[in-house]
Amino acid sequence: MHSDNMLRPFFAPEGVMIVGARRSPGFGFSIPTSLIKQGWGDRIYLVNPVGGELHGKKVYESVSEVPDPVDLAIVIVPSPAAPGVLEDIGTRGVKCVILETAGFAEIGEQGMALQKEVEEISKRHGIRIIGPNCVGVVNTDNSFASVETLEEALEPGPVSVIAQSGMFGTGILDFAYERGLYISKVITLGNRMDVDECEVMNYLSGDPTTKAIMMYLESASNGPRLLETLDRVTREKPVLILKSGRTSEGKKATESHTGSLSGEDEIYEGAFAQHGAVRAENIEELMAYSAVFSTQPLPAGNRLGIVTSSGSMGVMSTDTAVSHGLDVPAPSAATIEKIKKDAPGWMNVKNPLDTGPSQLYGASVAAALQDPNFDMVMAITIIPYAVVQEFKANGIPPEVWFGDMKKLRESAPDKPFVICSMGNSRFVKEIREIAGPSTPVIFSPNLAAKSLAALWDYARRKKRRD
Amino acid sequence: MHSDNMLRPFFAPEGVMIVGARRSPGFGFSIPTSLIKQGWGDRIYLVNPVGGELHGKKVYESVSEVPDPVDLAIVIVPSPAAPGVLEDIGTRGVKCVILETAGFAEIGEQGMALQKEVEEISKRHGIRIIGPNCVGVVNTDNSFASVETLEEALEPGPVSVIAQSGMFGTGILDFAYERGLYISKVITLGNRMDVDECEVMNYLSGDPTTKAIMMYLESASNGPRLLETLDRVTREKPVLILKSGRTSEGKKATESHTGSLSGEDEIYEGAFAQHGAVRAENIEELMAYSAVFSTQPLPAGNRLGIVTSSGSMGVMSTDTAVSHGLDVPAPSAATIEKIKKDAPGWMNVKNPLDTGPSQLYGASVAAALQDPNFDMVMAITIIPYAVVQEFKANGIPPEVWFGDMKKLRESAPDKPFVICSMGNSRFVKEIREIAGPSTPVIFSPNLAAKSLAALWDYARRKKRRD
């Protein structure tokens, strides 16, 4: 069977057994209730030797008793029980297992031996395993999650997440949606006994709802294969990588007193770029880049037009953009003429174009998007929220002050367009609603400008490779 | 009169006239309603030649009619009317003016001439001016604000803001409180015709509620004086500076195609450090640094202890800390013994100390704060919010899982202590409530680690200068 089809039950199972379903609060306790809430109640089966009932569902005393159809097992038993459970699952004929239990290779020799034992059993039965020491997968397409998640976080979106760390993968779900970043799938890999980042990247490369892949790695499962996979997958979709210290929990960083990047890290840096990946330096960058790369077209050049309601934010964005390889050239004569016609005396028509309280913000963004001097446009939408409240009280909707962002986005489909909106959370939320899902709204001018610079760098490298 | 006393009416006026109070929505429209809401209704006087009534208050037709006491004028008339108004204010005997109107030096020659005219009038009358082209001041001590602000933003705090840009200064008020950063005073300087950053720094240096000063500059009003002032003020209080391009709105950055720092910028960089200031590279850093510098003691050394509920965040923080000059050494034997006693088999007792779901998080933070191997402690509090909700449903309050942060903070008053909490906004808010105002809660592990590194760097430099 093709690898992609083999992984399918992890994301869209027909039936799921939860082995080690627990009665007391603690790790994994509410996986069943979460799944029931998401509409999976009639497709999950709880297994625990004590039997009885839990969350209103029968508890099977053994894996062998679970009725068909079931093609995925979520295992949360204590680690010493794992080999026996895997043996039962293999005998039962289930081929996909999310082994969430910790206490394997990550804790040293004894755990390593246990992991080897589980690996041997799985191979013998032809079982594919995600984990151990992970929280498995989330798929917003069908609201399937092998981990407790907020309902709000399951709103479908264009970005899929591959994370070595369980907390990273599902942690992001908790706040990504609050920042306008919506997720398609999350896969937490844990110790990568079997399924690794390469296989998952391949799967996501063929997944229609995934438009960009964000990845958190502490090490490569297999260096050459990772680069070969990146090389292939990045021809289809952008891959954004946050690579931190080693799996042994920052051991290297802890031991290092020099503060310099390790040689290994420099090799990663170069190799990622050469093989088409985009590296982010921290979570904030990773999220901003993902929002931009998953929604925006690639720019034809590096010329950025900035329209801003705040002079200082325009200056800061220009600083960042220029120091990261973008050009911030003057607007075309036609744009200057168009804006000057209606502009008050105090308004300088240049780039960045600071519209201040001129009420020309929307018209200026429209002109910038049509300007042949700009390959991409950043619109900085900042205004004291007390003033917004006053506009509202006077019946003036934000669209009047900031333009119809959705129409603006559509007016120049080939130019990347990013909104920067730094302000009260209620304001940013309103701007996100006006902008809609096709235009990322990024809080920080620094991150907005960096994201566009990264997009240009990616476009240029892609062109060379094509 | 001493300069500090001369500036006092800007922050704590006895009576305020608002000259150019307007009837239609637009710049400055709701300054009076804002002030009335904040309890200043009986100390404000509206002036506009059309007279009548506005916001339930009498409108005086001229400045000369305004009754005593009045020691501050907020001027929002169109720029051509400014000279006449300033003449009237001088004659009326008012010595402090916030000139918010734009259209002066920032728009070129014509505006420059107008600004000179206003300057000459003010000097002749001995008037002190903040502005023009600004939004003046905010003082949370007495809820006085010369600009529309959210009521929630007026919760008093330890950080004062000096900003060349109006939008920067008041923009920050809109979201700082949502991030746990509370403000004492904001001063937006605009074109700095008279009052400049140096004079304000001096004032704030003697202000008891200001514990740290954050400053946004596009240029120095007077380079040598700025450095001399920094040198003096930073012996009292930390000054955090975000310095961006020039006032001429990113002109230099716009023209530059090299992406390198300008020579001038490098001079600033070195001079700020030499004269005791701390430079932040962007708004996110500026805010995180301000939160830490305004609340934490200075560390005795560079040894950071990290306790985390998420392995990956521990690794990332270690990477950042080490590459910014901190050491992340092993815990003392006593700490290791203390934790190991209760730790499950899978838990590695080292630094960073990843407690996972061991329920040893609070005890580990307590041990780290007492550990003589650590000069400062970072506690990374990350957990899926769905799990938190489950704890709550089972009657387990967050204090049980994360320790009593307020007591922990008090247990080691000489060690900087920072909480990193990346997650759903409701979760972060709850952690802020548990932590209280003495411990900053920073969203990003990257910014939390960078802030502590900046604090150590500052402490080391301060020691050398003392």
Side-chain angles (χ1 to χ4, degrees), chain A residues 451-463:
Chain A
S451 302
L452 286 169
L455 191 68
W456 157 244
D457 189 52
Y458 176 76
R460 189 176 46 175
R461 283 192 281 123
K462 194 166 192 298
K463 219 171 182 175

Side-chain angles (χ1 to χ4, degrees), chain B residues 16-84:
Chain B
V16 189
M17 56 169 106
I18 297 157
V19 188
R22 60 192 295 166
R23 284 177 194 284
S24 58
F27 183 76
F29 170 71
S30 29
I31 296 173
T33 45
S34 249
L35 279 169
I36 292 165
K37 223 188 290 169
Q38 304 306 332
W40 284 81
D42 55 346
R43 287 168 285 176
I44 64 170
Y45 307 95
L46 311 187
V47 181
N48 190 314
V50 301
E53 220 180 72
L54 189 58
H55 309 304
K57 293 196 65 77
K58 171 182 168 64
V59 177
Y60 296 89
E61 287 175 28
S62 78
V63 163
S64 60
E65 289 173 27
V66 174
D68 276 326
V70 56
D71 51 358
L72 176 66
I74 298 171
V75 176
I76 53 175
V77 299
S79 59

Side-chain angles (χ1 to χ4, degrees), chain B residues 224-267:
Chain B
R225 200 154 63 89
L226 173 59
L227 298 181
E228 180 271 314
T229 308
L230 281 174
D231 207 73
R232 194 159 20 79
V233 172
T234 57
R235 286 173 201 277
E236 303 296 325
K237 294 174 185 182
V239 179
L240 300 313
I241 306 183
L242 175 56
K243 162 82 181 64
S244 80
R246 294 151 166 282
T247 323
S248 52
E249 303 194 343
K251 187 168 176 293
K252 194 169 48 109
T254 306
E255 285 171 1
S256 164
H257 294 259
T258 64
S260 63
L261 290 175
S262 71
E264 192 198 72
D265 198 76
E266 276 168 23
I267 292 167

Side-chain angles (χ1 to χ4, degrees), chain A residues 156-461:
Chain A
V159 175
S160 284
V161 181
I162 303 174
Q164 224 175 311
S165 145
M167 198 65 94
F168 187 96
T170 56
I172 271 190
L173 273 181
D174 267 4
F175 56 85
Y177 78 94
E178 294 187 309
R179 284 161 163 71
L181 183 70
Y182 292 96
I183 303 294
S184 174
K185 290 162 193 68
V186 175
I187 304 92
T188 68
L189 296 169
N191 295 2
R192 297 180 297 196
M193 194 180 84
D194 173 20
V195 174
D196 70 3
E197 68 274 17
C198 297
E199 201 171 356
V200 175
M201 254 194 287
N202 275 331
Y203 182 85
L204 293 175
S205 137
D207 175 46
T209 57
T210 299
K211 305 298 179 202
I213 299 168
M214 78 154 75
M215 186 148 65
Y216 171 71
L217 284 183
E218 293 176 356
S219 65
S221 174
N222 173 323
R225 199 153 65 90
L226 172 60
L227 298 180
E228 179 271 317
T229 308
L230 281 174
D231 207 74
R232 196 157 19 81
V233 172
T234 57
R235 286 172 201 278
E236 304 295 325
K237 294 175 187 182
V239 178
L240 299 314
I241 305 183
L242 175 55
K243 162 80 182 65
S244 79
R246 292 151 168 281
T247 322
S248 53
E249 304 193 344
K251 187 167 176 294
K252 194 168 46 108
T254 306
E255 286 169 359
S256 163
H257 294 257
T258 64
S260 63
L261 289 176
S262 69
E264 192 196 74
D265 198 76
E266 276 168 23
I267 293 167
Y268 271 117
E269 182 93 23
F272 284 162
Q274 200 186 330
H275 294 272
V278 177
R279 188 166 183 183
E281 283 196 25
N282 50 54
I283 303 179
E284 302 90 295
E285 277 186 20
L286 186 67
M287 291 189 62
Y289 291 6
S290 298
V292 172
F293 278 71
S294 64
T295 57
Q296 297 309 297
L298 296 183
N302 75 334
R303 300 167 307 159
L304 171 65
I306 301 174
V307 177
T308 180
S309 59
S310 149
S312 58
M313 302 294 163
V315 175
M316 280 184 266
S317 308
T318 302
D319 280 350
T320 306
V322 171
S323 61
H324 287 81
L326 297 186
D327 194 6
V328 183
S332 69
T335 297
I336 293 175
E337 200 183 330
K338 207 185 300 176
I339 306 295
K340 273 213 164 144
K341 198 164 42 73
D342 305 310
W346 51 258
M347 196 170 135
N348 291 310
V349 182
K350 54 179 193 167
N351 186 17
L353 180 56
D354 176 8
T355 64
S358 68
Q359 307 192 24
L360 290 177
Y361 186 86
S364 298
V365 174
L369 282 165
Q370 295 308 320
D371 193 320
N373 281 14
F374 302 145
D375 301 305
M376 51 188 125
V377 173
M378 175 168 164
I380 307 178
T381 307
I382 292 179
I383 189 171
Y385 197 60
V387 174
V388 172
Q389 288 177 321
E390 177 193 317
F391 291 163
K392 282 189 196 166
N394 285 283
I396 307 166
E399 289 87 338
V400 171
W401 290 83
F402 296 120
D404 183 330
M405 293 294 176
K406 279 178 199 149
K407 275 206 183 134
L408 287 168
R409 166 65 293 187
E410 284 163 20
S411 74
D414 297 334
K415 284 187 189 180
F417 178 48
V418 167
I419 296 172
C420 164
S421 189
M422 194 168 226
N424 190 269
S425 56
R426 286 168 287 172
F427 176 66
V428 176
K429 203 176 167 199
E430 286 162 18
I431 294 294
R432 287 219 168 92
E433 276 158 20
I434 298 171
S438 309
T439 308
V441 176
I442 295 178
F443 189 80
S444 139
N446 176 52
L447 288 175
K450 264 192 179 170
S451 302
L452 286 169
L455 191 68
W456 157 244
D457 189 52
Y458 176 76
R460 189 176 46 175
R461 283 192 281 123

Side-chain angles (χ1 to χ4, degrees), chain B residues 157-160 180-183 209-214 237-238 240 286-298 437-440 455:
Chain B
V159 175
S160 284
L181 183 70
Y182 293 96
I183 303 295
T209 57
T210 298
K211 305 298 178 201
I213 298 168
M214 78 154 77
K237 294 174 185 182
L240 300 313
L286 186 67
M287 293 188 62
Y289 291 7
S290 299
V292 172
F293 278 71
S294 62
T295 58
Q296 297 311 296
L298 296 183
S438 309
T439 308
L455 192 69

